[in-house]
mmCIF file of all heavy atoms in Angstrom:
data_model
loop_
_atom_site.group_PDB
_atom_site.id
_atom_site.type_symbol
_atom_site.label_atom_id
_atom_site.label_comp_id
_atom_site.label_asym_id
_atom_site.label_seq_id
_atom_site.Cartn_x
_atom_site.Cartn_y
_atom_site.Cartn_z
ATOM 1 N N ALA P 1 -215.250 -154.926 -116.998
ATOM 2 C CA ALA P 1 -215.246 -154.703 -115.553
ATOM 3 C C ALA P 1 -216.682 -154.570 -115.052
ATOM 4 O O ALA P 1 -217.042 -155.096 -114.003
ATOM 5 C CB ALA P 1 -214.446 -153.451 -115.215
ATOM 6 N N ALA P 2 -217.510 -153.843 -115.793
ATOM 7 C CA ALA P 2 -218.945 -153.754 -115.517
ATOM 8 C C ALA P 2 -219.650 -154.847 -116.309
ATOM 9 O O ALA P 2 -219.530 -154.892 -117.541
ATOM 10 C CB ALA P 2 -219.477 -152.379 -115.897
ATOM 11 N N THR P 3 -220.365 -155.702 -115.626
ATOM 12 C CA THR P 3 -220.947 -156.881 -116.286
ATOM 13 C C THR P 3 -222.432 -156.672 -116.578
ATOM 14 O O THR P 3 -223.254 -157.560 -116.357
ATOM 15 C CB THR P 3 -220.748 -158.127 -115.413
ATOM 16 O OG1 THR P 3 -221.258 -157.868 -114.101
ATOM 17 C CG2 THR P 3 -219.275 -158.478 -115.322
ATOM 18 N N ALA P 4 -222.745 -155.505 -117.076
ATOM 19 C CA ALA P 4 -224.116 -155.213 -117.502
ATOM 20 C C ALA P 4 -224.035 -154.318 -118.726
ATOM 21 O O ALA P 4 -223.059 -153.584 -118.916
ATOM 22 C CB ALA P 4 -224.903 -154.517 -116.394
ATOM 23 N N PHE P 5 -225.067 -154.373 -119.573
ATOM 24 C CA PHE P 5 -225.073 -153.520 -120.755
ATOM 25 C C PHE P 5 -225.026 -152.050 -120.356
ATOM 26 O O PHE P 5 -225.628 -151.641 -119.350
ATOM 27 C CB PHE P 5 -226.316 -153.778 -121.600
ATOM 28 C CG PHE P 5 -226.271 -155.070 -122.369
ATOM 29 C CD1 PHE P 5 -227.246 -156.044 -122.158
ATOM 30 C CD2 PHE P 5 -225.277 -155.313 -123.282
ATOM 31 C CE1 PHE P 5 -227.214 -157.228 -122.862
ATOM 32 C CE2 PHE P 5 -225.231 -156.502 -124.000
ATOM 33 C CZ PHE P 5 -226.207 -157.466 -123.780
ATOM 34 N N TYR P 6 -224.335 -151.272 -121.177
ATOM 35 C CA TYR P 6 -224.174 -149.852 -120.902
ATOM 36 C C TYR P 6 -225.518 -149.178 -120.630
ATOM 37 O O TYR P 6 -225.669 -148.427 -119.650
ATOM 38 C CB TYR P 6 -223.461 -149.167 -122.078
ATOM 39 C CG TYR P 6 -223.357 -147.674 -121.920
ATOM 40 C CD1 TYR P 6 -222.294 -147.120 -121.231
ATOM 41 C CD2 TYR P 6 -224.328 -146.819 -122.443
ATOM 42 C CE1 TYR P 6 -222.193 -145.746 -121.055
ATOM 43 C CE2 TYR P 6 -224.239 -145.451 -122.279
ATOM 44 C CZ TYR P 6 -223.175 -144.915 -121.580
ATOM 45 O OH TYR P 6 -223.087 -143.565 -121.398
ATOM 46 N N HIS P 7 -226.518 -149.430 -121.468
ATOM 47 C CA HIS P 7 -227.786 -148.706 -121.332
ATOM 48 C C HIS P 7 -228.555 -149.108 -120.078
ATOM 49 O O HIS P 7 -229.456 -148.388 -119.642
ATOM 50 C CB HIS P 7 -228.658 -148.906 -122.575
ATOM 51 C CG HIS P 7 -229.231 -150.277 -122.710
ATOM 52 N ND1 HIS P 7 -228.496 -151.350 -123.169
ATOM 53 C CD2 HIS P 7 -230.478 -150.767 -122.433
ATOM 54 C CE1 HIS P 7 -229.258 -152.434 -123.188
ATOM 55 N NE2 HIS P 7 -230.461 -152.114 -122.742
ATOM 56 N N HIS P 8 -228.201 -150.254 -119.482
ATOM 57 C CA HIS P 8 -228.877 -150.684 -118.254
ATOM 58 C C HIS P 8 -228.395 -149.918 -117.026
ATOM 59 O O HIS P 8 -229.139 -149.796 -116.043
ATOM 60 C CB HIS P 8 -228.657 -152.178 -118.020
ATOM 61 C CG HIS P 8 -229.466 -153.052 -118.927
ATOM 62 N ND1 HIS P 8 -229.198 -154.397 -119.124
ATOM 63 C CD2 HIS P 8 -230.556 -152.774 -119.693
ATOM 64 C CE1 HIS P 8 -230.073 -154.900 -119.972
ATOM 65 N NE2 HIS P 8 -230.900 -153.940 -120.339
ATOM 66 N N ILE P 9 -227.156 -149.423 -117.070
ATOM 67 C CA ILE P 9 -226.600 -148.763 -115.884
ATOM 68 C C ILE P 9 -226.144 -147.336 -116.177
ATOM 69 O O ILE P 9 -225.506 -146.698 -115.328
ATOM 70 C CB ILE P 9 -225.410 -149.571 -115.315
ATOM 71 C CG1 ILE P 9 -224.343 -149.813 -116.380
ATOM 72 C CG2 ILE P 9 -225.891 -150.891 -114.734
ATOM 73 C CD1 ILE P 9 -223.086 -150.518 -115.854
ATOM 74 N N ASP P 10 -226.509 -146.819 -117.331
ATOM 75 C CA ASP P 10 -226.055 -145.497 -117.748
ATOM 76 C C ASP P 10 -226.542 -144.406 -116.794
ATOM 77 O O ASP P 10 -225.761 -143.772 -116.087
ATOM 78 C CB ASP P 10 -226.526 -145.224 -119.180
ATOM 79 C CG ASP P 10 -226.149 -143.832 -119.667
ATOM 80 O OD1 ASP P 10 -225.211 -143.249 -119.092
ATOM 81 O OD2 ASP P 10 -226.797 -143.342 -120.601
ATOM 82 N N GLU P 11 -227.835 -144.179 -116.755
ATOM 83 C CA GLU P 11 -228.377 -143.053 -115.995
ATOM 84 C C GLU P 11 -228.226 -143.251 -114.487
ATOM 85 O O GLU P 11 -227.988 -142.300 -113.744
ATOM 86 C CB GLU P 11 -229.841 -142.833 -116.361
ATOM 87 C CG GLU P 11 -230.038 -142.378 -117.803
ATOM 88 C CD GLU P 11 -231.492 -142.064 -118.100
ATOM 89 O OE1 GLU P 11 -232.329 -142.167 -117.180
ATOM 90 O OE2 GLU P 11 -231.797 -141.720 -119.260
ATOM 91 N N ALA P 12 -228.362 -144.502 -114.022
ATOM 92 C CA ALA P 12 -228.338 -144.747 -112.581
ATOM 93 C C ALA P 12 -226.929 -144.764 -112.001
ATOM 94 O O ALA P 12 -226.740 -144.460 -110.820
ATOM 95 C CB ALA P 12 -229.035 -146.065 -112.274
ATOM 96 N N PHE P 13 -225.957 -145.102 -112.817
ATOM 97 C CA PHE P 13 -224.613 -145.289 -112.254
ATOM 98 C C PHE P 13 -223.527 -144.596 -113.060
ATOM 99 O O PHE P 13 -222.738 -143.824 -112.505
ATOM 100 C CB PHE P 13 -224.317 -146.788 -112.147
ATOM 101 C CG PHE P 13 -222.967 -147.085 -111.592
ATOM 102 C CD1 PHE P 13 -222.741 -147.015 -110.222
ATOM 103 C CD2 PHE P 13 -221.899 -147.427 -112.417
ATOM 104 C CE1 PHE P 13 -221.477 -147.278 -109.693
ATOM 105 C CE2 PHE P 13 -220.649 -147.685 -111.902
ATOM 106 C CZ PHE P 13 -220.431 -147.615 -110.533
ATOM 107 N N LEU P 14 -223.441 -144.855 -114.355
ATOM 108 C CA LEU P 14 -222.303 -144.386 -115.138
ATOM 109 C C LEU P 14 -222.286 -142.870 -115.311
ATOM 110 O O LEU P 14 -221.236 -142.233 -115.174
ATOM 111 C CB LEU P 14 -222.292 -145.082 -116.501
ATOM 112 C CG LEU P 14 -222.098 -146.606 -116.470
ATOM 113 C CD1 LEU P 14 -222.144 -147.166 -117.883
ATOM 114 C CD2 LEU P 14 -220.778 -146.974 -115.793
ATOM 115 N N LEU P 15 -223.430 -142.282 -115.628
ATOM 116 C CA LEU P 15 -223.469 -140.833 -115.838
ATOM 117 C C LEU P 15 -223.139 -140.072 -114.557
ATOM 118 O O LEU P 15 -222.315 -139.137 -114.594
ATOM 119 C CB LEU P 15 -224.824 -140.417 -116.399
ATOM 120 C CG LEU P 15 -224.965 -138.936 -116.779
ATOM 121 C CD1 LEU P 15 -223.865 -138.524 -117.751
ATOM 122 C CD2 LEU P 15 -226.342 -138.661 -117.376
ATOM 123 N N PRO P 16 -223.742 -140.414 -113.407
ATOM 124 C CA PRO P 16 -223.339 -139.731 -112.168
ATOM 125 C C PRO P 16 -221.848 -139.899 -111.862
ATOM 126 O O PRO P 16 -221.203 -138.964 -111.366
ATOM 127 C CB PRO P 16 -224.202 -140.404 -111.097
ATOM 128 C CG PRO P 16 -225.387 -140.920 -111.831
ATOM 129 C CD PRO P 16 -224.868 -141.327 -113.171
ATOM 130 N N LEU P 17 -221.296 -141.077 -112.160
ATOM 131 C CA LEU P 17 -219.873 -141.306 -111.924
ATOM 132 C C LEU P 17 -219.030 -140.420 -112.832
ATOM 133 O O LEU P 17 -218.017 -139.847 -112.407
ATOM 134 C CB LEU P 17 -219.547 -142.778 -112.150
ATOM 135 C CG LEU P 17 -218.138 -143.242 -111.771
ATOM 136 C CD1 LEU P 17 -217.897 -143.083 -110.272
ATOM 137 C CD2 LEU P 17 -217.920 -144.696 -112.190
ATOM 138 N N ALA P 18 -219.447 -140.283 -114.082
ATOM 139 C CA ALA P 18 -218.728 -139.423 -115.021
ATOM 140 C C ALA P 18 -218.783 -137.958 -114.579
ATOM 141 O O ALA P 18 -217.790 -137.222 -114.698
ATOM 142 C CB ALA P 18 -219.320 -139.569 -116.419
ATOM 143 N N GLU P 19 -219.920 -137.536 -114.070
ATOM 144 C CA GLU P 19 -220.061 -136.151 -113.605
ATOM 145 C C GLU P 19 -219.173 -135.886 -112.398
ATOM 146 O O GLU P 19 -218.568 -134.823 -112.274
ATOM 147 C CB GLU P 19 -221.529 -135.871 -113.281
ATOM 148 C CG GLU P 19 -222.428 -135.850 -114.513
ATOM 149 C CD GLU P 19 -223.898 -135.772 -114.175
ATOM 150 O OE1 GLU P 19 -224.245 -136.021 -112.991
ATOM 151 O OE2 GLU P 19 -224.707 -135.472 -115.076
ATOM 152 N N GLU P 20 -219.091 -136.880 -111.504
ATOM 153 C CA GLU P 20 -218.219 -136.731 -110.339
ATOM 154 C C GLU P 20 -216.754 -136.662 -110.776
ATOM 155 O O GLU P 20 -215.967 -135.864 -110.240
ATOM 156 C CB GLU P 20 -218.435 -137.903 -109.386
ATOM 157 C CG GLU P 20 -217.643 -137.827 -108.096
ATOM 158 C CD GLU P 20 -218.065 -136.658 -107.211
ATOM 159 O OE1 GLU P 20 -219.209 -136.164 -107.355
ATOM 160 O OE2 GLU P 20 -217.233 -136.211 -106.389
ATOM 161 N N ALA P 21 -216.374 -137.488 -111.747
ATOM 162 C CA ALA P 21 -215.003 -137.456 -112.254
ATOM 163 C C ALA P 21 -214.691 -136.100 -112.873
ATOM 164 O O ALA P 21 -213.595 -135.551 -112.669
ATOM 165 C CB ALA P 21 -214.804 -138.569 -113.276
ATOM 166 N N ALA P 22 -215.657 -135.556 -113.631
ATOM 167 C CA ALA P 22 -215.438 -134.278 -114.303
ATOM 168 C C ALA P 22 -215.189 -133.148 -113.300
ATOM 169 O O ALA P 22 -214.436 -132.209 -113.589
ATOM 170 C CB ALA P 22 -216.641 -133.942 -115.187
ATOM 171 N N LYS P 23 -215.803 -133.225 -112.110
ATOM 172 C CA LYS P 23 -215.581 -132.203 -111.084
ATOM 173 C C LYS P 23 -214.120 -132.170 -110.649
ATOM 174 O O LYS P 23 -213.629 -131.159 -110.154
ATOM 175 C CB LYS P 23 -216.464 -132.482 -109.870
ATOM 176 C CG LYS P 23 -217.956 -132.301 -110.124
ATOM 177 C CD LYS P 23 -218.756 -132.654 -108.875
ATOM 178 C CE LYS P 23 -220.259 -132.557 -109.137
ATOM 179 N NZ LYS P 23 -221.051 -132.960 -107.936
ATOM 180 N N HIS P 24 -213.436 -133.296 -110.813
ATOM 181 C CA HIS P 24 -212.032 -133.390 -110.419
ATOM 182 C C HIS P 24 -211.096 -133.381 -111.621
ATOM 183 O O HIS P 24 -209.916 -133.720 -111.514
ATOM 184 C CB HIS P 24 -211.812 -134.677 -109.610
ATOM 185 C CG HIS P 24 -212.570 -134.732 -108.325
ATOM 186 N ND1 HIS P 24 -213.885 -135.159 -108.253
ATOM 187 C CD2 HIS P 24 -212.210 -134.386 -107.056
ATOM 188 C CE1 HIS P 24 -214.294 -135.108 -106.998
ATOM 189 N NE2 HIS P 24 -213.312 -134.645 -106.249
ATOM 190 N N ASN P 25 -211.644 -133.012 -112.794
ATOM 191 C CA ASN P 25 -210.868 -132.959 -114.038
ATOM 192 C C ASN P 25 -210.257 -134.309 -114.398
ATOM 193 O O ASN P 25 -209.140 -134.397 -114.933
ATOM 194 C CB ASN P 25 -209.768 -131.896 -113.946
ATOM 195 C CG ASN P 25 -210.322 -130.504 -113.778
ATOM 196 O OD1 ASN P 25 -211.277 -130.122 -114.469
ATOM 197 N ND2 ASN P 25 -209.770 -129.742 -112.847
ATOM 198 N N ALA P 26 -211.003 -135.350 -114.080
ATOM 199 C CA ALA P 26 -210.581 -136.704 -114.436
ATOM 200 C C ALA P 26 -211.546 -137.285 -115.459
ATOM 201 O O ALA P 26 -212.702 -136.849 -115.554
ATOM 202 C CB ALA P 26 -210.534 -137.593 -113.194
ATOM 203 N N GLU P 27 -211.065 -138.263 -116.226
ATOM 204 C CA GLU P 27 -211.931 -138.950 -117.181
ATOM 205 C C GLU P 27 -211.844 -140.453 -116.953
ATOM 206 O O GLU P 27 -210.804 -140.969 -116.531
ATOM 207 C CB GLU P 27 -211.534 -138.601 -118.622
ATOM 208 C CG GLU P 27 -211.840 -137.158 -118.981
ATOM 209 C CD GLU P 27 -211.605 -136.868 -120.453
ATOM 210 O OE1 GLU P 27 -210.425 -136.673 -120.813
ATOM 211 O OE2 GLU P 27 -212.579 -136.839 -121.222
ATOM 212 N N LEU P 28 -212.944 -141.150 -117.258
ATOM 213 C CA LEU P 28 -213.047 -142.583 -117.019
ATOM 214 C C LEU P 28 -213.186 -143.345 -118.321
ATOM 215 O O LEU P 28 -214.002 -142.994 -119.181
ATOM 216 C CB LEU P 28 -214.258 -142.882 -116.138
ATOM 217 C CG LEU P 28 -214.063 -142.683 -114.627
ATOM 218 C CD1 LEU P 28 -215.411 -142.500 -113.952
ATOM 219 C CD2 LEU P 28 -213.333 -143.882 -114.025
ATOM 220 N N LEU P 29 -212.388 -144.399 -118.454
ATOM 221 C CA LEU P 29 -212.474 -145.316 -119.586
ATOM 222 C C LEU P 29 -212.836 -146.678 -119.012
ATOM 223 O O LEU P 29 -212.076 -147.245 -118.222
ATOM 224 C CB LEU P 29 -211.140 -145.370 -120.331
ATOM 225 C CG LEU P 29 -211.095 -146.081 -121.680
ATOM 226 C CD1 LEU P 29 -212.002 -145.405 -122.694
ATOM 227 C CD2 LEU P 29 -209.660 -146.132 -122.201
ATOM 228 N N VAL P 30 -214.006 -147.200 -119.404
ATOM 229 C CA VAL P 30 -214.608 -148.341 -118.717
ATOM 230 C C VAL P 30 -214.886 -149.468 -119.702
ATOM 231 O O VAL P 30 -215.426 -149.231 -120.795
ATOM 232 C CB VAL P 30 -215.923 -147.910 -118.035
ATOM 233 C CG1 VAL P 30 -216.657 -149.106 -117.448
ATOM 234 C CG2 VAL P 30 -215.635 -146.871 -116.954
ATOM 235 N N GLY P 31 -214.559 -150.708 -119.305
ATOM 236 C CA GLY P 31 -214.870 -151.870 -120.129
ATOM 237 C C GLY P 31 -216.199 -152.477 -119.745
ATOM 238 O O GLY P 31 -216.440 -152.761 -118.565
ATOM 239 N N LEU P 32 -217.062 -152.673 -120.743
ATOM 240 C CA LEU P 32 -218.390 -153.254 -120.503
ATOM 241 C C LEU P 32 -219.049 -153.621 -121.824
ATOM 242 O O LEU P 32 -218.644 -153.127 -122.879
ATOM 243 C CB LEU P 32 -219.277 -152.287 -119.720
ATOM 244 C CG LEU P 32 -219.976 -151.111 -120.428
ATOM 245 C CD1 LEU P 32 -220.841 -150.350 -119.435
ATOM 246 C CD2 LEU P 32 -219.014 -150.186 -121.121
ATOM 247 N N PRO P 33 -220.072 -154.488 -121.808
ATOM 248 C CA PRO P 33 -220.777 -154.819 -123.051
ATOM 249 C C PRO P 33 -221.741 -153.700 -123.446
ATOM 250 O O PRO P 33 -222.307 -153.021 -122.587
ATOM 251 C CB PRO P 33 -221.541 -156.108 -122.689
ATOM 252 C CG PRO P 33 -221.689 -156.065 -121.214
ATOM 253 C CD PRO P 33 -220.511 -155.315 -120.679
ATOM 254 N N VAL P 34 -221.891 -153.531 -124.745
ATOM 255 C CA VAL P 34 -222.770 -152.482 -125.285
ATOM 256 C C VAL P 34 -223.733 -153.116 -126.283
ATOM 257 O O VAL P 34 -223.296 -153.811 -127.215
ATOM 258 C CB VAL P 34 -221.944 -151.372 -125.970
ATOM 259 C CG1 VAL P 34 -222.868 -150.372 -126.672
ATOM 260 C CG2 VAL P 34 -221.063 -150.653 -124.947
ATOM 261 N N LEU P 35 -225.036 -152.889 -126.077
ATOM 262 C CA LEU P 35 -226.058 -153.419 -126.975
ATOM 263 C C LEU P 35 -226.178 -152.532 -128.205
ATOM 264 O O LEU P 35 -226.216 -151.299 -128.102
ATOM 265 C CB LEU P 35 -227.403 -153.492 -126.250
ATOM 266 C CG LEU P 35 -228.518 -154.307 -126.927
ATOM 267 C CD1 LEU P 35 -228.145 -155.785 -126.973
ATOM 268 C CD2 LEU P 35 -229.847 -154.124 -126.186
ATOM 269 N N ASP P 36 -226.241 -153.156 -129.372
ATOM 270 C CA ASP P 36 -226.373 -152.410 -130.621
ATOM 271 C C ASP P 36 -227.749 -151.758 -130.714
ATOM 272 O O ASP P 36 -228.693 -152.132 -130.000
ATOM 273 C CB ASP P 36 -226.168 -153.355 -131.811
ATOM 274 C CG ASP P 36 -226.022 -152.613 -133.119
ATOM 275 O OD1 ASP P 36 -224.966 -151.990 -133.336
ATOM 276 O OD2 ASP P 36 -226.974 -152.648 -133.917
ATOM 277 N N GLU P 37 -227.866 -150.793 -131.613
ATOM 278 C CA GLU P 37 -229.139 -150.098 -131.782
ATOM 279 C C GLU P 37 -230.264 -151.021 -132.221
ATOM 280 O O GLU P 37 -231.445 -150.737 -131.986
ATOM 281 C CB GLU P 37 -228.983 -148.958 -132.797
ATOM 282 C CG GLU P 37 -228.060 -147.835 -132.326
ATOM 283 C CD GLU P 37 -227.869 -146.761 -133.380
ATOM 284 O OE1 GLU P 37 -228.377 -146.973 -134.530
ATOM 285 O OE2 GLU P 37 -227.234 -145.741 -133.097
ATOM 286 N N ASP P 38 -229.904 -152.164 -132.846
ATOM 287 C CA ASP P 38 -230.950 -153.086 -133.284
ATOM 288 C C ASP P 38 -231.536 -153.895 -132.126
ATOM 289 O O ASP P 38 -232.505 -154.641 -132.302
ATOM 290 C CB ASP P 38 -230.435 -154.033 -134.377
ATOM 291 C CG ASP P 38 -229.293 -154.938 -133.902
ATOM 292 O OD1 ASP P 38 -229.053 -155.039 -132.681
ATOM 293 O OD2 ASP P 38 -228.628 -155.546 -134.756
ATOM 294 N N GLY P 39 -230.940 -153.761 -130.935
ATOM 295 C CA GLY P 39 -231.462 -154.442 -129.764
ATOM 296 C C GLY P 39 -231.177 -155.929 -129.726
ATOM 297 O O GLY P 39 -231.672 -156.631 -128.834
ATOM 298 N N GLU P 40 -230.380 -156.440 -130.666
ATOM 299 C CA GLU P 40 -230.084 -157.870 -130.715
ATOM 300 C C GLU P 40 -228.590 -158.155 -130.602
ATOM 301 O O GLU P 40 -228.158 -158.970 -129.796
ATOM 302 C CB GLU P 40 -230.627 -158.472 -132.014
ATOM 303 C CG GLU P 40 -232.146 -158.397 -132.133
ATOM 304 C CD GLU P 40 -232.645 -159.002 -133.426
ATOM 305 O OE1 GLU P 40 -231.802 -159.480 -134.221
ATOM 306 O OE2 GLU P 40 -233.868 -158.996 -133.648
ATOM 307 N N ARG P 41 -227.799 -157.502 -131.394
ATOM 308 C CA ARG P 41 -226.351 -157.721 -131.367
ATOM 309 C C ARG P 41 -225.718 -156.922 -130.238
ATOM 310 O O ARG P 41 -226.234 -155.868 -129.853
ATOM 311 C CB ARG P 41 -225.733 -157.325 -132.701
ATOM 312 C CG ARG P 41 -226.292 -158.092 -133.900
ATOM 313 C CD ARG P 41 -225.622 -157.642 -135.181
ATOM 314 N NE ARG P 41 -225.837 -156.214 -135.423
ATOM 315 C CZ ARG P 41 -225.170 -155.488 -136.301
ATOM 316 N NH1 ARG P 41 -224.210 -156.052 -137.020
ATOM 317 N NH2 ARG P 41 -225.438 -154.211 -136.463
ATOM 318 N N TYR P 42 -224.598 -157.431 -129.716
ATOM 319 C CA TYR P 42 -223.914 -156.681 -128.672
ATOM 320 C C TYR P 42 -222.403 -156.817 -128.829
ATOM 321 O O TYR P 42 -221.899 -157.789 -129.394
ATOM 322 C CB TYR P 42 -224.360 -157.096 -127.268
ATOM 323 C CG TYR P 42 -224.265 -158.571 -126.948
ATOM 324 C CD1 TYR P 42 -223.123 -159.104 -126.339
ATOM 325 C CD2 TYR P 42 -225.328 -159.431 -127.218
ATOM 326 C CE1 TYR P 42 -223.043 -160.443 -126.021
ATOM 327 C CE2 TYR P 42 -225.252 -160.779 -126.899
ATOM 328 C CZ TYR P 42 -224.108 -161.278 -126.298
ATOM 329 O OH TYR P 42 -224.024 -162.612 -125.974
ATOM 330 N N TYR P 43 -221.700 -155.777 -128.334
ATOM 331 C CA TYR P 43 -220.264 -155.638 -128.529
ATOM 332 C C TYR P 43 -219.515 -155.741 -127.202
ATOM 333 O O TYR P 43 -220.038 -155.384 -126.143
ATOM 334 C CB TYR P 43 -219.930 -154.276 -129.149
ATOM 335 C CG TYR P 43 -220.626 -153.977 -130.444
ATOM 336 C CD1 TYR P 43 -221.724 -153.122 -130.481
ATOM 337 C CD2 TYR P 43 -220.177 -154.530 -131.638
ATOM 338 C CE1 TYR P 43 -222.361 -152.829 -131.678
ATOM 339 C CE2 TYR P 43 -220.804 -154.242 -132.847
ATOM 340 C CZ TYR P 43 -221.907 -153.390 -132.848
ATOM 341 O OH TYR P 43 -222.539 -153.099 -134.029
ATOM 342 N N ASN P 44 -218.267 -156.192 -127.290
ATOM 343 C CA ASN P 44 -217.313 -156.115 -126.187
ATOM 344 C C ASN P 44 -216.613 -154.769 -126.342
ATOM 345 O O ASN P 44 -215.872 -154.566 -127.310
ATOM 346 C CB ASN P 44 -216.330 -157.283 -126.283
ATOM 347 C CG ASN P 44 -215.401 -157.381 -125.100
ATOM 348 O OD1 ASN P 44 -215.288 -156.462 -124.299
ATOM 349 N ND2 ASN P 44 -214.711 -158.504 -124.982
ATOM 350 N N SER P 45 -216.824 -153.850 -125.402
ATOM 351 C CA SER P 45 -216.484 -152.450 -125.674
ATOM 352 C C SER P 45 -215.724 -151.785 -124.538
ATOM 353 O O SER P 45 -215.712 -152.254 -123.395
ATOM 354 C CB SER P 45 -217.768 -151.647 -125.926
ATOM 355 O OG SER P 45 -218.551 -152.239 -126.935
ATOM 356 N N MET P 46 -215.103 -150.664 -124.892
ATOM 357 C CA MET P 46 -214.576 -149.706 -123.929
ATOM 358 C C MET P 46 -215.328 -148.403 -124.153
ATOM 359 O O MET P 46 -215.528 -147.980 -125.308
ATOM 360 C CB MET P 46 -213.077 -149.481 -124.128
ATOM 361 C CG MET P 46 -212.214 -150.702 -123.836
ATOM 362 S SD MET P 46 -212.212 -151.216 -122.109
ATOM 363 C CE MET P 46 -211.301 -149.880 -121.336
#
């Protein structure tokens, strides 16, 4: 659903969204690509 790597939008978008959800006792499960720690391989992830 999010068409950018997790680490590219984590601090600017995903973390604030998660904090807002937590205020309402809700949790978010999001589909997006995730870059591996090696910086080369990437996963199709939730």
